[in-house]
Amino acid sequence: DGLVKADMEKLTFYAVSAPEKLDRIGAYLAERLSRDVVRHRYGYVLIAMEALDQLLMACHSQSIKPFVESFLHMVAKLLESGEPKLQVLGTNSFVKFANIEEDTPSYHRRYDFFVSRFSAMCHSCDHDPEIQTEIRIAGIRGIQGVVRKTVNDELRATIWEPQHMDKIVPSLLFNMHKIEDIDSRIGPPSSPTGGEKEENPALLAENCFRELLGRATYGNMNNAVRPVFAHLDHHRLWDPNEFAVSCFKIIMYSIQAQYSHHVIQEILGHLDVRKRDSPRVRAGIIQVLLEAVAIAAKGSIGPTVLEVFNTLLKHLRISVDFELGDRRSSAGSATFSTSSKESDERIVQNAIIQTIGFFGSNLPDYQRSEIMMFIMGKVPVLGTTSQSLDTSHLGDLGTRRIQIMLLRSLLMVTSGYKATTITNALPPPFLDPLLSPSLMEDSELRQLVLEVLHNLIDRHDNRAKLRGIRIIPDVSDLKIKRDKISRQDVSFMKKHGQQLYRHIYLGCKEEDNVQKNFELLFTSLALTTIELANEEVVIDLIRLAIALQDIAIINEDNLPMFNRCGVMALVAAYLNFLSQMIAVPAFCQHVSKVIETRSLEASYFLPETIFKDKCNLPKSLEKHEKDLFFLTNKIAESLGGSGYSVERLSVPYVPQVTDEDRLSRRKSIVDTVSIQVDILPGNNTEDKIDNTEEITFEALKKAIDNNGLEEQEKEKRRLVIEKFQKAPFEEIAAQCETKANLLHDRLAQILELTIRPPPSPSGTMTITAGHAHYQSVPVYEMKFPDLCVY
């Protein structure tokens, strides 16, 4: 009939009145229950457990300790039985016991058996689905009870030992993985109804897992996280990684915020351990890292930030190494598996770049500037190999791949970065390698460099309004935002303006330029005008634009016709923009007239035509009229009346020469840039067009005439004197340095050809492939000068 209420009340009153008798009562009930379990008298088992539960809930005294031991012994007996009902009954009793707060700690009590048994119940594989679910729910609730009991106990450190965590955490993850809709677990803790918690093992396991992580402290955080990696590895859950991502989102939202960096360090360490695994596994781990840093980025401090970036950059280099290794091993035998491996490595690389960019873009500005410097220092650039990634064994292709990957990472980090002054955004240690010729050897590299510059220069979000290269009818419709040029920005342009001009100038001379390159070059010129241009910079930009036009007209570099017309269209679009920005009517009129003439006679000089898919290109540019070109003298006349200092417009722009130009593998700037050592008349475009005169007898006669030679010499001297009086110091220094470098290179070549060490009987040392070799010459074969022989 069940437990008699009146008799149970008497027993309870007796136990409360005489607590010293509790141990004997517990021992008797335990003995009866053990006998009934063995004899399968489950009705009496239920009565005994109900009596034990009521006594346990009613009695709170020092003498309850021996009774608890009998109680736990009975719970263990029930859990060991193979009957599901008894296992559930024992679990329910243990959960009730776990919710009791004891007055004094129990130093001798351990829960190792219960951890093992409850974990085994979580993996129940009963053939009946209902019974299986019931046992799994009981196991999860039992683990939850153990966690609550031990965490609140003085000896709570025992539950965090690895041997317990290696059972508890995988059991919870095993049940969490059974849920179909994983999206319900993403984000902060959810609050399902009580009935839903009890009926769904996955939700119950998730809440237990959150509770466990929420109670973790600094010393035991790693013990709780490491079994997660072991479970994901064992069940191959990194590819696909939806469950792994949801697990770590739960972890990051459940732990205390100050411990987030522990989890990130564990993920980085596991990535190092699995660095030889398949690309998809590594990509899965990196995507998990991305989700983790997205949650922890705001609170990351100290060396953790640099450690994240350093590890990711190291794995980026490893991925490129694997990709090139697969490509080399499959040379001559293009197989599907190899191509799939390469595409998988690209997935890894894109995941790394996305993680770097997302983490960097969520950092505060002071940390982001350090990360920008850190990434830029890793880019392999000629002359700065101390901190950069080791690409010596990757070859030119591998080095270029690393450069592209790092610049893409840098592009994401700089996105949205707003510096107070341009000096903070582009310090010399960052700007010099960014504008290095080593990063101009490929069309994609140049595009990335320009996009990084746009992110840092554009402080008023004007770039979207300037997207695409076109003739803008009315710039005022764009509603461009700009502030007055600060003193720091003026100082920056005086120090580093020549570097920016030089980069744009050389970028226009590359043969592999496509439409996107010209669009980015136009945006660079326009943003420089908006953010950094005072009157002096405006004059420099006009000189740069005229020099770009001369590139297309003179064509010393033998550029394709598309490139020449593209440069002409770039100059037209920019001067149209600049003339409206400075609002000088005469200048606007001259630019508009040239553009109108081009639209009628040479539309391929305008961006709207040249960048169409089918555009008829001219065969040559030599026969075009002056009306199609922007003329220096007309621009000088139009600006002179508005207070601009136009004297420097007559001096042609010459790019600054750097030490890297002589070390670079590319063509030296001495060879690519037309340097007029003796300043010839004809610096203006108008004069250059007239230089193509026919050679006749009269012309030869004038050339022989001495008077004509004297006049030419006087004109040369006058122009040289005028140049040194009006040209900026940077350009004079650039020309002198170019001349000196050219002389030095020629002298070094002559000395190398003429000066040889004399032969020696003891031998001369030669270095081949890094190894020294000695070659001796016999005395009888040596040739001596006549004066030395007697």
Side-chain angles (χ1 to χ4, degrees):
D1 296 335
L3 188 64
V4 179
K5 185 177 180 181
D7 293 341
M8 188 63 217
E9 289 177 352
K10 292 178 183 178
L11 180 61
T12 304
F13 177 76
Y14 176 71
V16 172
S17 303
E20 67 275 4
K21 301 294 185 179
L22 268 174
D23 56 339
R24 295 185 63 184
I25 296 173
Y28 172 75
L29 290 174
E31 183 182 354
R32 286 290 304 268
L33 190 142
S34 298
R35 189 164 60 246
D36 292 337
V37 169
V38 172
R39 296 177 180 178
H40 301 285
R41 299 165 65 180
Y42 298 138
Y44 291 104
V45 172
L46 295 175
I47 293 173
M49 284 308 300
E50 188 176 352
L52 282 170
D53 290 343
Q54 291 192 23
L55 287 174
L56 190 66
M57 300 298 292
C59 302
H60 298 282
S61 66
Q62 296 292 335
S63 303
I64 201 174
K65 301 298 179 186
F67 178 76
V68 169
E69 297 305 319
S70 300
F71 171 80
L72 293 178
H73 179 68
M74 287 302 93
V75 171
K77 283 285 185 183
L78 295 178
L79 295 177
E80 285 180 329
S81 69
E83 187 64 29
K85 292 183 179 180
L86 296 185
Q87 294 178 3
V88 173
L89 178 64
T91 302
N92 292 336
S93 297
F94 183 84
V95 171
K96 293 176 184 177
F97 164 71
N99 292 326
I100 297 175
E101 294 186 7
E102 300 184 46
D103 297 332
T104 56
S106 177
Y107 294 102
H108 61 280
R109 191 184 307 153
R110 295 186 65 86
Y111 299 95
D112 298 8
F113 168 79
F114 295 99
V115 170
S116 300
R117 189 59 197 159
F118 288 136
S119 298
M121 291 170 64
C122 290
H123 292 82
S124 173
C125 296
D126 195 278
H127 61 277
D128 188 345
E130 292 184 1
I131 295 177
Q132 180 188 101
T133 301
E134 190 177 8
I135 295 176
R136 288 185 179 182
I137 290 176
I140 296 169
R141 293 180 66 237
I143 288 178
Q144 195 171 26
V146 172
V147 170
R148 290 176 180 174
K149 192 64 179 176
T150 53
V151 166
N152 292 329
D153 200 346
E154 291 294 328
L155 297 179
R156 60 184 177 274
T158 56
I159 196 65
W160 298 107
E161 293 175 359
Q163 63 266 28
H164 298 319
M165 287 291 106
D166 289 344
K167 298 173 183 175
I168 293 174
V169 173
S171 302
L172 298 177
L173 295 178
F174 176 77
N175 284 275
M176 289 166 58
H177 193 210
K178 296 302 177 182
I179 192 170
E180 296 296 331
D181 184 15
I182 63 170
D183 293 334
S184 64
R185 296 195 306 275
I186 296 177
S190 56
S191 55
T193 61
E196 188 180 359
K197 284 183 183 179
E198 297 297 329
E199 295 175 1
N200 194 329
L203 289 176
L204 187 62
E206 177 193 333
N207 282 278
C208 182
F209 189 49
R210 291 183 186 273
E211 184 178 350
L212 175 69
L213 293 168
R215 297 173 184 270
T217 59
Y218 179 84
N220 46 48
M221 177 61 62
N222 293 342
N223 290 339
V225 174
R226 284 172 186 165
V228 178
F229 293 106
H231 180 82
L232 297 175
D233 289 343
H234 180 70
H235 293 276
R236 299 178 180 178
L237 296 175
W238 295 112
D239 177 33
N241 67 339
E242 288 83 1
F243 179 71
V245 169
S246 66
C247 279
F248 277 91
K249 280 191 173 184
I250 291 172
I251 292 172
M252 297 303 293
Y253 280 119
S254 301
I255 63 175
Q256 301 178 43
Q258 63 268 30
Y259 304 145
S260 298
H261 64 280
H262 276 292
V263 180
I264 294 175
Q265 286 176 338
E266 288 294 324
I267 299 175
L268 292 173
H270 194 68
L271 183 60
D272 286 336
V273 172
R274 304 297 298 271
K275 64 182 179 182
R276 298 290 177 185
D277 280 24
S278 66
R280 291 189 174 274
V281 170
R282 286 181 282 129
I285 299 175
I286 294 167
Q287 288 170 357
V288 168
L289 178 64
L290 170 62
E291 299 294 340
V293 299
I295 299 170
K298 295 295 184 182
S300 299
I301 57 173
T304 307
V305 177
L306 286 180
E307 183 181 354
V308 170
F309 285 98
N310 196 31
T311 304
L312 289 174
L313 293 178
K314 179 180 68 176
H315 283 277
L316 183 63
R317 183 191 59 79
I318 292 173
S319 177
V320 173
D321 195 6
F322 284 159
E323 180 186 359
L324 296 177
D326 293 337
R327 186 176 299 176
R328 285 192 292 266
S329 63
S330 64
S333 60
T335 60
F336 173 76
S337 60
T338 302
S339 61
S340 64
K341 280 185 179 180
E342 289 185 12
S343 62
D344 289 346
E345 289 296 345
R346 295 293 177 93
I347 295 174
V348 175
Q349 294 160 15
N350 291 332
I352 293 175
I353 292 170
Q354 189 178 6
T355 304
I356 290 175
F358 195 88
F359 194 18
S361 60
N362 280 279
L363 291 174
D365 285 345
Y366 73 92
Q367 280 190 325
R368 206 194 301 196
S369 60
E370 294 178 2
I371 296 304
M372 288 159 48
M373 294 289 296
F374 180 76
I375 297 176
M376 195 68 239
K378 295 291 183 180
V379 178
V381 174
L382 192 63
T384 57
T385 58
S386 57
Q387 300 294 330
S388 61
L389 294 178
D390 182 19
T391 59
S392 56
H393 63 289
L394 297 179
D396 292 345
L397 181 60
T399 300
R400 190 162 302 172
R401 286 287 301 161
I402 288 290
Q403 290 173 337
I404 290 175
M405 294 297 157
L406 291 178
L407 286 176
R408 286 176 60 192
S409 306
L410 189 62
L411 180 62
M412 295 193 68
V413 173
T414 56
S415 179
Y417 179 68
K418 296 290 187 295
T420 53
T421 63
I422 196 66
T423 308
N424 295 336
L426 293 170
F430 180 84
L431 183 64
D432 293 344
L434 182 66
L435 301 183
S436 165
S438 301
L439 299 181
M440 296 186 68
E441 300 182 359
D442 182 79
S443 174
E444 186 178 0
L445 277 175
R446 296 194 300 276
Q447 293 173 11
L448 290 170
V449 170
L450 291 174
E451 288 175 336
V452 170
L453 281 175
H454 297 170
N455 281 345
L456 298 174
I457 294 177
D458 184 20
R459 291 169 288 176
H460 296 88
D461 298 323
N462 292 312
R463 182 174 36 169
K465 304 170 186 176
L466 301 168
R467 188 164 294 147
I469 179 171
R470 63 195 188 280
I471 302 296
I472 303 173
D474 191 354
V475 174
S476 61
D477 292 341
L478 301 180
K479 296 181 180 179
I480 290 175
K481 300 176 184 178
R482 63 185 306 190
D483 294 331
K484 185 178 179 181
I485 309 301
S486 65
R487 185 179 301 175
Q488 292 88 346
D489 293 345
V490 172
S491 176
F492 173 84
M493 289 305 291
K494 286 184 177 179
K495 291 181 180 178
H496 305 289
Q498 293 295 327
Q499 285 180 270
L500 294 176
Y501 306 151
R502 174 182 181 277
H503 187 80
I504 295 172
Y505 182 85
L506 296 182
C508 290
K509 301 180 70 170
E510 297 294 338
E511 294 184 3
D512 59 345
N513 279 338
V514 295
Q515 179 178 348
K516 186 176 180 181
N517 290 88
F518 289 111
E519 291 177 353
L520 294 173
L521 287 166
F522 168 73
T523 307
S524 301
L525 289 166
L527 289 176
T528 305
T529 305
I530 296 170
E531 298 285 350
L532 303 171
N534 57 4
E535 292 186 1
E536 185 177 349
V537 174
V538 166
I539 297 298
D540 288 335
L541 289 170
I542 294 174
R543 292 173 58 228
L544 174 62
I546 297 301
L548 295 178
Q549 181 177 253
D550 293 343
I551 290 176
I553 296 173
I554 302 173
N555 195 27
E556 292 182 348
D557 298 280
N558 296 320
L559 294 174
M561 185 55 68
F562 170 78
N563 293 58
R564 297 171 68 183
C565 293
V567 172
M568 297 292 282
L570 168 66
V571 174
Y574 174 63
L575 288 182
N576 171 69
F577 176 82
L578 176 64
S579 63
Q580 296 185 56
M581 288 297 293
I582 63 176
V584 176
F587 185 28
C588 293
Q589 185 178 359
H590 171 64
V591 172
S592 301
K593 185 177 179 181
V594 173
I595 293 175
E596 183 179 354
T597 306
R598 288 186 178 186
S599 63
L600 297 175
E601 301 179 12
S603 59
Y604 41 78
F605 285 165
L606 298 177
E608 288 81 0
T609 302
I610 185 62
F611 295 123
K612 287 183 179 179
D613 294 335
K614 295 180 180 179
C615 174
N616 296 323
L617 299 176
K619 295 181 179 179
S620 64
L621 303 184
E622 282 73 17
K623 297 181 180 179
H624 286 85
E625 298 294 332
K626 300 177 187 177
D627 296 340
L628 297 175
F629 305 117
F630 301 99
L631 304 178
T632 307
N633 57 349
K634 295 288 185 66
I635 296 175
E637 290 175 8
S638 61
L639 293 179
S642 299
Y644 283 85
S645 178
V646 296
E647 290 84 3
R648 290 190 298 118
L649 281 177
S650 60
V651 181
Y653 170 77
V654 177
Q656 192 178 20
V657 183
T658 63
D659 295 335
E660 189 176 353
D661 294 317
R662 290 183 288 117
L663 300 173
S664 177
R665 293 167 293 179
R666 297 159 52 82
K667 289 191 299 182
S668 173
I669 193 173
V670 176
D671 301 326
T672 59
V673 180
S674 175
I675 296 176
Q676 301 171 358
V677 179
D678 297 323
I679 305 299
L680 297 175
N683 295 321
N684 296 339
T685 306
E686 187 176 1
D687 297 329
K688 290 177 182 175
I689 298 169
D690 293 337
N691 280 344
T692 58
E693 56 180 307
E694 297 180 3
I695 301 176
T696 61
F697 176 76
E698 293 295 331
L700 293 174
K701 185 177 179 181
K702 289 180 181 178
I704 298 173
D705 188 9
N706 291 332
N707 294 330
L709 291 175
E710 291 179 1
E711 291 179 1
Q712 288 182 7
E713 290 295 332
K714 287 181 181 179
E715 182 67 15
K716 284 182 184 180
R717 292 193 208 98
R718 187 187 67 79
L719 289 173
V720 171
I721 294 172
E722 182 181 351
K723 177 177 179 62
F724 277 86
Q725 288 176 345
K726 297 179 181 180
F729 175 76
E730 292 83 0
E731 290 195 5
I732 298 174
Q735 285 196 352
C736 294
E737 186 179 3
T738 302
K739 195 173 180 181
N741 291 338
L742 182 61
L743 179 62
H744 176 78
D745 292 341
R746 292 290 182 266
L747 183 60
Q749 291 178 6
I750 294 171
L751 293 176
E752 186 178 358
L753 293 172
T754 56
I755 300 179
R756 305 281 185 184
S760 171
S762 61
T764 58
M765 183 180 70
T766 60
I767 298 177
T768 306
H771 301 285
H773 301 280
Y774 288 88
Q775 298 177 349
S776 59
V777 180
V779 177
Y780 57 83
E781 290 185 1
M782 293 174 60
K783 295 182 180 180
F784 296 94
D786 295 337
L787 295 176
C788 298
V789 180
Y790 61 95

